[in-house]
């Protein structure tokens, strides 16, 4: 029995996602459970170094996380052979040069999505990592949400029969900052020049969700909008929004399946969860949220008729049953972190690589093109580069 210490450079970890999901709920949790199992009683314990520009935030976060190392000098950390993995959760516009530098330093790389601001940069990172022989991965956390894991199980079991359509509703009301309520999202999300925009953010997610659960995306039609033109930043100063804050997209998938996704930071929630996916098939339907999933088989489907002149005799919430949990679900980010660490150390398969991340950027770019052209746009297959790391 042995315990391997794994040095991980965490760049941009002082941000909301970096702190909460990747550090505290993933790597700290992995450390506290005794590490990642490597088989035969062996384990790997992550030892992050927290990297950023704000010294005070790094020191405070180090204390919160139990005394992890911290540094404002990423070059020094890249030169340290103890650090095997580079993780990037910076602003999107900063990611490409930082990840490229880590690849050239011989580090295995794992990063948040979008992996870059444009497809060309995303594919360049994929090419560089493949040629360098380093292992690489991209965060695709929604695949490990309990609700979507249950949905995937239904798909694999054939519950739906032939799947006809998928309808996704995502979003919530993000306060502007000018109404006395602190906004839930950072101001850069609404500035195109800083890598903001809901199309670039969310179509990356919908690409891997659709590809992994239902089939390859063949074409896209998308309409974006900037519904709220003015917001207030973290210092309380007003600014003009240059990025889209809502996206209304339709996707054609292999096999004739149609998917529709509404994504908005300007919508008030009256549905089961912040994200819901309804899947309709010839033999049954399901509605999945972040954690729960409910089904209605064909045998329980009511027979409504259109008559708006009298109250409906049907309660459309009836006839749906909960999909029971058959396993204990981990935090989605933690689950993928454990798989990536095993990929690095054991060479186990990890299909969620930089090419998969580039596919998300591709769909976002084509969504913007569709919006500008007001037309359907085909989604070509991306090339493979050499041997995977």
């Amino acid at each position: 029995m042995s315990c391997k210490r794994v040095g991980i450079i965490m760049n941009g970890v002082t941000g909301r996602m970096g702190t909460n999901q990747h550090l505290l709920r993933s790597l700290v949790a992995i450390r506290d459970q005794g590490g990642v199992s490597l088989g035969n009683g062996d384990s790997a314990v992550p030892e992050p170094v927290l990297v950023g520009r704000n010294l005070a935030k790094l020191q405070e976060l180090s204390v919160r996380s139990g005394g992890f190392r911290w540094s404002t000098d990423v070059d020094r950390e890249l030169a340290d052979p103890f650090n095997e993995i580079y993780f990037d959760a910076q602003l999107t516009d900063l990611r490409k040069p930082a990840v490229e530098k880590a690849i050239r330093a011989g580090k295995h790389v794992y990063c948040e999505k979008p992996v870059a601001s444009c497809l060309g940069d995303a594919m360049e990172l994929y090419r560089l990592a493949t040629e360098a022989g380093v292992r690489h991965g991209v965060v695709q956390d929604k695949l490990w949400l309990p609700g979507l894991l249950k949905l995937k199980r239904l798909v694999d079991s054939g519950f739906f029969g032939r799947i006809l359509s998928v309808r996704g509703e995502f979003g919530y009301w993000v306060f502007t900052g000018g109404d006395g309520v602190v906004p839930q999202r950072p101001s850069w999300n609404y500035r195109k020049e800083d890598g903001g925009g809901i199309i670039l953010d969310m179509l990356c997610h919908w690409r891997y969700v659709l590809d992994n659960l239902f089939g390859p995306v063949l074409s896209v039609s998308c309409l974006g909008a900037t519904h709220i033109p003015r917001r207030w930043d973290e210092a309380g100063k007003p600014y003009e929004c240059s990025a889209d804050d809502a996206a209304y997209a339709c996707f054609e998938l292999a096999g004739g399946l149609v998917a529709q996704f509404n994504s908005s930071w300007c919508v008030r929630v009256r549905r089961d969860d912040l994200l819901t996916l309804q899947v309709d098939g010839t033999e049954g339907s399901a509605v999945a949220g972040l954690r729960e999933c409910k089904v209605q088989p064909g045998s329980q489907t009511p027979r409504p008729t259109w008559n708006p002149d009298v109250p409906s005799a049907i309660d459309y919430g009836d006839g749906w049953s909960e999909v029971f949990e058959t396993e204990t679900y981990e935090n989605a980010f933690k689950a993928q972190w454990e798989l990536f660490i095993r990929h690095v150390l054991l060479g186990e398969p990890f299909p969620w690589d930089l090419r998969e991340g580039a596919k998300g950027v591709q769909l976002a770019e084509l969504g913007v093109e569709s919006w500008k052209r007001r037309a359907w746009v085909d989604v070509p297959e991306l090339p493979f580069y050499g041997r995977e790391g």
Side-chain angles (χ1 to χ4, degrees), residues 50-68:
L50 315 180
V51 174
R53 293 169 293 179
N54 190 312
L55 181 62
K57 285 185 177 181
L58 290 171
Q59 291 174 327
E60 186 272 335
L61 190 55
S62 174
V63 172
R64 285 181 63 192
S65 59
F68 283 142

Side-chain angles (χ1 to χ4, degrees), residues 124-141:
E124 176 69 2
L125 290 178
Y126 165 55
R127 183 187 65 80
L128 289 171
T130 303
E131 291 179 353
V134 301
R135 302 194 190 279
H136 47 93
V138 176
V139 176
Q140 299 195 335
D141 56 286

Side-chain angles (χ1 to χ4, degrees), residues 149-160:
L149 288 172
K150 296 171 185 177
L151 189 59
K152 179 67 162 62
R153 196 165 72 237
L154 291 170
V155 172
D156 292 344
S157 72
F159 167 81
F160 297 102

Side-chain angles (χ1 to χ4, degrees), residues 15-34:
R16 176 178 58 92
M17 292 292 289
T19 293
N20 294 327
Q21 295 292 2
H22 292 289
L23 181 63
L24 299 179
R25 298 173 192 169
S26 294
L27 295 190
V28 169
I30 291 171
R31 178 200 63 187
D32 291 347
Q33 74 182 16

Side-chain angles (χ1 to χ4, degrees), residues 165-311:
S165 63
V166 179
R167 287 185 291 146
E169 290 284 344
F170 165 82
Y172 46 92
W173 186 265
V174 177
F175 288 88
T176 66
D179 42 20
V181 181
V182 178
Q184 309 96 299
R185 301 189 68 87
S187 58
W188 71 264
N189 280 180
Y190 304 94
R191 293 192 292 265
K192 184 178 180 180
E193 60 272 19
D194 291 334
I198 201 167
I199 293 178
L200 180 59
D201 187 0
M202 298 313 301
L203 262 64
C204 290
H205 282 298
W206 308 148
R207 179 67 189 270
Y208 69 74
V209 168
L210 291 171
D211 279 357
N212 282 273
L213 269 67
F214 305 108
V217 178
L218 302 182
S219 60
V220 56
S221 172
C222 181
L223 175 67
T226 305
H227 289 310
I228 298 180
R230 197 181 202 212
R231 293 178 180 268
W232 282 254
D233 65 17
E234 289 77 3
K237 297 180 180 180
Y239 65 96
E240 300 304 312
C241 301
S242 54
D244 44 281
D245 55 21
Y248 309 94
C250 189
F251 309 100
E252 180 188 15
L253 277 60
L257 196 155
V258 177
Q260 298 170 274
F261 275 79
N262 294 328
S263 311
S264 177
W265 291 321
C266 315
V267 61
R268 292 177 176 88
V269 179
R270 195 182 188 279
R271 53 183 183 271
D272 290 343
D273 217 327
L274 299 184
L275 168 65
T276 58
L277 295 181
Q278 176 159 338
V279 181
D280 291 301
T282 55
E283 302 299 325
S285 298
V287 178
L290 301 179
R291 301 196 61 84
E292 297 182 347
C293 183
K294 297 179 180 179
V295 296
Q296 185 176 86
S299 60
Q300 297 297 317
T301 302
R303 183 182 177 277
T305 56
W306 177 260
N307 186 353
D309 298 319
V310 297

